Amino acid sequence: MSVSSVAADQSVCAPLPVLGRDVTVPLVTGGEVTYAALDYAASAPALQRVWDDVAAYAPYYGSVHRGAGYLSQLSTDLFENSRAAVAEFLDCRPDDQVVFTRSTTDSLNLLAATLPAGCQVFVFETEHHAALLPWVSSPGATGRGGRDARVTYLDAPRTPAQAVDTLERALAGRDGHGPALVCVTGASNVTGELWPVRELAATAHAHGARIVLDAAQLAPHHPVSVRDLDVDWVAFSGHKLYAPFGSGVLAGRADWLQDAEPYLAGGGASRQVARRADGGVDVEWHTTAARHEAGSPNVIGVYAIASACKALTEAGFDRLVARERELIATVRAGLAGVPEVRVLSLFGDDAPRVGVISFVVEGWNSSHFAAALSAEYGIGVRDGLFCAHPLVRTLLGGDPGGVGECGAPDGGPAALNAIRVSFGAGTPDEHVERFVRAVRELVRDGARWNYRTEDGRCVPDRG
């Protein structure tokens, strides 16, 4: 893989420069091309601004909350200032806590560990596995933290209004008046469609339930206000918000977090530890966010998230949203012009969405098509079930509870998988234009190379 400075000019149309914008990749048909990274929904490339900020801080790296030295004190200030920056980015309430985690998955598992005894959880089958699975490990199992979480999985709605109505009926019919939690995405990682979060939050609260928002796909594309949406918690990942290094956020109400046992037991979560006369140990745990941040914090990852939050805010979401809508329109119009392509959707063509679009191509296995896009056009997309197996199977008309092949090209056109293209603030116009052209040419002319299955993936046959 080589890098070409000439290719950097192609990023001029992107509002925010990202790393990798000038990387070139070889094509199986010969030559090289600037890589078109169109898999933002999995991991967005890091902003150049974020990388520069982290590089500037790196020489001053020190242990957070652990030392009296200058670098340790500097790093501690940076860490806590980053917490404040994230709270401002999310428009948190004054009493909300911002807890740093490893990812959205980690954040939702942390929240699952804090559920009060007897809590009922309501979650749509359309959720990413990060939001679908943390509440119980298997039928009949207890929730994380040893608490009995009773989970109700709600059927996929076909309109936003139906989503609200489905939740309304489920909450109205729940057992008793104990604690309840609703978990919902802000934007689907499969269809990109925006969910009626504010209305769902109002419905939850009307029935005495709380709500957590999975903003992994929403926060990189739209402003997220905890106060305006009136959600109790919000979770997101840095690696989808143009900030690498494996950090995430859980932000929201403090009471369940304070009442629960620490997510991890260890240094940083404990305020005082003392031996008892009987040989045991007494522990006083922190009541702040530190209660669930045991161990040496990932200060670089946390600072990267804060830097990305500031960069997006300064760029202006109105500008970013307007430009992304243009890219969405370009892709959707291009795919609509190919009769063999079927775009997957829950809420219909007119539903507002972020830059995430999934589709299938008649006569093609999705893994084969994605491999050809990469090998012959230098375009990186995703194929498979996108860690949202029930939703994709429902959209494809397969058995929602079945086990389908996920990406092997010899599964034939009927294999249950799809192709996902996703983009954002670092995507040049040329990348989406090349993608649309490539789809049209592949459907019309077929692949120019032979492919084979290797470890369940479709790859170019170089033998």
Side-chain angles (χ1 to χ4, degrees):
M1 187 176 296
S2 61
V3 176
S4 170
S5 60
V6 176
D9 293 338
Q10 297 183 16
S11 67
V12 172
C13 293
L16 292 174
V18 295
L19 295 181
R21 62 188 180 275
D22 51 0
V23 168
T24 63
V25 295
L27 302 179
V28 293
T29 51
E32 293 185 337
V33 66
T34 306
Y35 183 64
L38 296 179
D39 193 16
Y40 277 45
S43 286
L47 292 178
Q48 184 69 55
R49 152 80 175 270
V50 171
W51 193 261
D52 292 344
D53 283 350
V54 167
Y57 160 67
Y60 302 93
Y61 174 85
S63 186
V64 173
H65 301 148
R66 297 294 194 277
Y70 178 80
L71 297 190
S72 180
Q73 293 297 306
L74 179 70
S75 295
T76 298
D77 288 344
L78 188 93
F79 186 82
E80 293 304 333
N81 288 336
S82 295
R83 198 189 305 276
V86 171
E88 181 179 1
F89 178 75
L90 295 173
D91 190 25
C92 288
R93 298 165 291 250
D95 295 334
D96 285 340
Q97 285 188 351
V98 174
V99 181
F100 289 116
T101 66
R102 293 177 297 175
S103 60
T104 307
T105 302
D106 197 33
S107 295
L108 294 175
N109 275 270
L110 189 165
L111 185 61
T114 73
L115 296 181
C119 188
Q120 298 179 68
V121 178
F122 297 83
V123 56
F124 286 93
E125 68 170 353
T126 48
E127 293 293 318
H128 186 282
H129 294 171
L132 196 69
L133 302 180
W135 320 109
V136 291
S137 57
S138 62
T142 58
R144 298 295 189 265
R147 297 182 174 91
D148 180 16
R150 292 173 289 166
V151 183
T152 298
Y153 295 104
L154 306 176
D155 292 340
R158 288 298 180 168
T159 66
Q162 188 180 65
V164 176
D165 182 64
T166 297
L167 181 62
E168 166 72 34
R169 286 185 282 106
L171 291 174
R174 74 186 178 100
D175 298 332
H177 301 284
L181 178 70
V182 176
C183 181
V184 68
T185 188
S188 171
N189 77 303
V190 175
T191 68
E193 293 163 316
L194 299 178
W195 277 62
V197 176
R198 187 180 293 104
E199 293 81 358
L200 291 169
T203 300
H205 293 153
H207 289 276
R210 298 191 180 189
I211 186 168
V212 56
L213 170 64
D214 174 359
Q217 300 297 338
L218 183 63
H221 303 273
H222 282 262
V224 175
S225 169
V226 169
R227 286 193 248 207
D228 181 53
L229 294 173
D230 197 22
V231 295
D232 297 281
W233 294 277
V234 60
F236 70 87
S237 296
H239 71 96
K240 299 185 192 298
L241 195 80
Y242 308 99
F245 311 119
S247 286
V249 168
L250 176 67
R253 301 197 181 277
D255 54 350
W256 285 10
L257 301 177
Q258 291 174 346
D259 292 341
E261 291 296 309
Y263 186 46
L264 297 174
S270 56
R271 177 179 289 164
Q272 293 187 48
V273 180
R275 288 291 303 274
R276 296 195 305 265
D278 62 4
V281 173
D282 286 326
V283 183
E284 180 185 350
W285 302 106
H286 279 294
T287 58
T288 63
R291 184 183 189 88
H292 299 291
E293 293 177 345
S296 296
N298 179 4
V299 60
I300 287 183
V302 165
Y303 183 43
I305 288 181
S307 174
C309 289
K310 293 177 182 178
L312 289 168
T313 300
E314 292 169 7
F317 269 110
D318 288 345
R319 172 191 174 210
L320 298 178
V321 169
R323 198 243 173 189
E324 186 172 298
R325 284 175 181 159
E326 295 176 358
L327 296 183
I328 293 171
T330 297
V331 172
R332 288 181 59 82
L335 295 179
V338 183
E340 293 83 355
V341 169
R342 176 166 72 93
V343 173
L344 305 183
S345 175
L346 273 175
F347 300 154
D349 290 343
D350 296 331
R353 65 196 71 225
V354 300
V356 179
I357 299 170
S358 296
F359 62 98
V360 292
V361 183
E362 182 181 348
W364 284 80
N365 176 272
S366 295
S367 180
H368 187 188
F369 200 88
L373 285 173
S374 175
E376 300 179 27
Y377 295 90
I379 298 171
V381 297
R382 176 84 178 271
D383 68 274
L385 299 177
F386 318 128
C387 293
H389 294 188
L391 171 58
V392 178
R393 290 187 181 119
T394 295
L395 294 173
L396 293 178
D399 177 8
V403 178
E405 185 66 37
C406 188
D410 54 3
L416 277 175
N417 53 35
I419 306 152
R420 184 181 69 191
V421 56
S422 52
F423 40 85
T427 304
D429 292 356
E430 189 275 331
H431 288 186
V432 297
E433 291 164 357
R434 191 197 318 171
F435 167 76
V436 169
R437 183 175 67 254
V439 170
R440 185 166 54 245
E441 290 178 0
L442 283 172
V443 173
R444 183 189 65 208
D445 304 328
R448 292 172 287 172
W449 202 263
N450 292 324
Y451 296 82
R452 59 183 175 83
T453 303
E454 183 177 292
D455 297 327
R457 298 290 311 164
C458 188
V459 297
D461 188 348
R462 302 178 188 273

